[in-house]
Amino acid sequence: MTTASRGGVRGPTDGGRPARSGRSPDPARPASSGLTREVLDGLSEAVVVVDRAGLVTLVNAMATALLPEAAPTTDLTTCAVPAVARAVGSGAASFDAEHGGRRLRGVRRDLADGRHAWYVRDVTEEHARVEALQVERSRTVFLAEAGSRLGLSLQREQTLRTTTTLPVPYLADLAVVVHLPPPPAQGQPHWVRYDGRDPAPTSGLATWSLTGSLPGLAEALAGHPVGPSPWPDGAAVDLTTVLPPDFGSPGTVLVSPMRGAGRTTGALVLVRRAGRAGFARRDVELAREFAARAGAALDAAELYGEQVHLARVLQNSLLPPGLPAVPGAALAGGYRAAGDRLRIGGDFYDVFPVPAGAIFALGDVAGKGVGAAVLTGRVRQSLRTLRLVEQRPLELMRLLNEALFDAPDAARRSQFTTLLLGTLDAVPGGGVAVRIAGGGHPSPLRVDADGAVTSVAVGGMPVGALAAARFAEVDLRLGPGELLLAYTDGVVEARGGPDGQEMFGEERLRAALASAAGLAPAALVDRLLELVDGWLDGQHQDDIAMLAVAAAPA
């Protein structure tokens, strides 16, 4: 058992006599003012204590360093630091202030007897870190948006407009792209500018003297980065024409090269008005990164433009031709390509006039896209040439097979086509005689005047698949009201219907032909294409080609 004694703690007792122990503890004493001062001065934040009247009664060493105006006996409501005076006068619980080149943040704590203590921290470095993080985030957002918008632009003019609109006003008050025409074109440089006041960028033609008038432009067009510089005094006429009307006084200019693959596609000129801060190091780095991305996007857009131009040339050479007039026969063709951008593919038809009538061809080249289109062109051109020396379908097909095998192995590997090749000859008294050679293609369908649909079996092996391929031949005669339809498998294999996976099928094709008996070839082909398009309902399709032949009306 222990008993407490005033001013200390006593140990265990024995018969009322104090137990023998060591020296008793010193009685508790209040801390000295010197110790209190030492503790307060060791704090990393300023402490300012005021009485109920608002007069300063105590400050520590940090307060003396950060707020020398808040000396003892100072009335904080009239303090020379406005933010502090407002906070004390309004009874606010905190304040933020810029003072002495530092950023301060104060918090009030209530004490006994109506007194208050203000705890003030120097948050300059903390605020700088937050600002730097915000700036870095804004740069990341800017580059992300730039990458997204530039990546989606495949048109040269759209890429130039995007390059000028994105930096304004984030990086500059005016953005100008000075770009060179893509090779092999030669000419003067062009410019596109944007300052945020017009709804869209404007463009114009520059002279080569502009590159010598604007500091750094010649170097940037040559692919060399340059630093920011003041806008030249007494700017030449070339420069003033680039500036928008009423732009004001330009202050600082930064020119960055826009590099593409193997060449510089242009230069990005960023201009800030006088009065706006110049380009800091991080601004220069960001501008150069953006210019590099814009240059790559512009180069890609120019490459895409070249590819589109080449595709159009190929398209014009491979699209099905207008059909010639054939004595004693009426013809019509229909075509749909699988590709979304190029209306060319591996299915084809063609008709070549000959003295006795005409030669027709309909085929389906193995493969898809441009590769199939190139082989389609080879087959069609070969037929056009070979029909000058051979007009019998079976022999002509054999010659074509040999011609395809003349190509080098690397070029013709897996390149073959299914083919129907036939002749049309008018029959005296009405009708048309048809001779068809088959090269592994689906059999054409014959539609009689009464709507009966029958298959014309031809057979044969694909052309270009084997050097010793065997082909077949069949003869028939089309009388008045009768029609022959040759088609590629894209018609019957078109997938659609309720679930989008059911094939159109030969049964539907036969039913459509039976219901259209008596129609002219052009009307029949239009109806079939409409039915197939409706069946697909906008879904992806295979190439489709069809050729309808009928005896001409008497």
Side-chain angles (χ1 to χ4, degrees), residues 18 38 58 78 89 96 188 243 255 257 283 297 302 338 348 361 451 473 513:
E38 187 176 352
L58 184 147
T78 60
D96 283 275
Q188 293 176 303
L243 291 176
V255 186
D283 296 332
E302 291 178 351
F348 67 95
E473 191 176 68
L513 290 173

Side-chain angles (χ1 to χ4, degrees), residues 127-193:
H127 188 264
R129 288 193 296 269
V130 172
E131 283 189 337
L133 180 60
Q134 292 174 343
V135 168
E136 194 60 35
R137 285 177 176 172
S138 68
R139 295 174 190 272
T140 302
V141 170
F142 172 78
L143 287 177
E145 182 182 2
S148 175
R149 291 180 57 182
L150 289 172
L152 293 175
S153 176
L154 288 177
Q155 302 297 328
R156 189 173 191 271
E157 296 305 317
Q158 178 61 36
T159 303
L160 290 170
R161 289 193 294 269
T162 301
T163 303
T164 54
T165 55
L166 277 175
V168 178
Y170 181 70
L171 277 176
D173 301 308
L174 169 68
V176 182
V177 173
V178 180
H179 57 101
L180 306 175
Q186 298 294 329
Q188 293 176 303
H190 294 64
W191 55 261
V192 180
R193 75 178 180 216

Side-chain angles (χ1 to χ4, degrees), residues 98-456:
E98 294 279 353
H99 180 63
R102 312 296 293 175
R103 189 173 186 91
L104 307 180
R105 180 168 299 157
V107 178
R108 190 190 70 184
R109 294 288 182 267
D110 295 334
L111 304 177
D113 300 330
R115 294 176 297 172
H116 307 287
W118 284 94
Y119 298 91
V120 183
R121 291 191 304 118
D122 183 351
V123 294
T124 305
E125 285 73 19
E126 177 184 334
H127 188 264
R129 288 193 296 269
V130 172
E131 283 189 337
L133 180 60
Q134 292 174 343
V135 168
E136 194 60 35
R137 285 177 176 172
S138 68
R139 295 174 190 272
T140 302
V141 170
F142 172 78
L143 287 177
E145 182 182 2
S148 175
R149 291 180 57 182
L150 289 172
L152 293 175
S153 176
L154 288 177
Q155 302 297 328
R156 189 173 191 271
E157 296 305 317
Q158 178 61 36
T159 303
L160 290 170
R161 289 193 294 269
T162 301
T163 303
T164 54
T165 55
L166 277 175
V168 178
Y170 181 70
L171 277 176
D173 301 308
L174 169 68
V176 182
V177 173
V178 180
H179 57 101
L180 306 175
Q186 298 294 329
Q188 293 176 303
H190 294 64
W191 55 261
V192 180
R193 75 178 180 216
Y194 182 72
D195 67 347
R197 296 181 297 174
D198 296 326
T202 57
S203 59
L205 183 64
T207 62
W208 285 109
S209 59
L210 175 66
T211 60
S213 303
L214 186 60
L217 181 56
E219 292 84 350
L221 290 175
H224 306 300
V226 292
S229 62
W231 186 264
D233 295 331
V237 176
D238 298 312
L239 292 182
T240 58
T241 58
V242 173
L243 291 176
D246 305 323
F247 177 75
S249 300
T252 311
V253 60
L254 174 64
V255 186
S256 303
M258 297 170 55
R259 298 188 184 92
R263 73 183 190 96
T264 301
T265 57
L268 174 64
V269 181
L270 300 178
V271 182
R272 291 184 176 180
R273 291 187 177 92
R276 181 174 176 177
F279 294 94
R281 179 183 61 84
R282 293 289 289 158
D283 296 332
V284 174
E285 293 174 354
L286 183 62
R288 289 177 179 171
E289 173 67 21
F290 172 70
R293 297 189 182 193
L298 183 59
D299 188 61
E302 291 178 351
L303 178 61
Y304 177 78
E306 294 174 4
Q307 292 175 338
V308 169
H309 173 71
L310 293 175
R312 286 174 180 169
V313 172
L314 183 61
Q315 173 191 71
N316 292 334
S317 67
L318 294 181
L319 283 176
L323 299 181
V326 178
L331 296 91
Y335 180 75
R336 291 284 191 276
D340 295 331
R341 289 186 172 86
L342 298 180
R343 294 183 291 116
I344 53 178
D347 292 12
F348 67 95
Y349 66 85
D350 214 337
V351 177
F352 315 111
V354 294
I359 296 175
F360 70 87
L362 182 137
D364 184 357
V365 168
K368 304 296 178 186
V370 175
V374 171
L375 181 57
T376 300
R378 288 189 58 215
V379 170
R380 289 177 59 189
Q381 293 302 320
S382 297
L383 285 174
R384 286 183 178 273
T385 302
L386 294 173
R387 53 107 180 183
L388 298 176
V389 297
E390 179 57 71
Q391 297 175 7
R392 294 171 296 175
L394 190 61
E395 285 71 18
L396 182 57
M397 187 170 287
R398 289 169 178 162
L399 287 176
L400 176 63
N401 191 66
E402 293 177 10
L404 292 182
F405 266 89
D406 283 342
D409 288 344
R412 61 154 301 277
R413 185 175 301 146
S414 299
Q415 291 188 344
F416 60 88
T417 180
T418 62
L419 183 66
L420 290 177
L421 192 59
T423 56
L424 303 174
D425 296 296
V427 176
V432 59
V434 183
R435 173 170 291 179
I436 307 174
H441 197 82
S443 298
L445 297 176
R446 178 174 182 165
V447 185
D448 295 336
D450 59 0
V453 180
T454 57
S455 177
V456 180

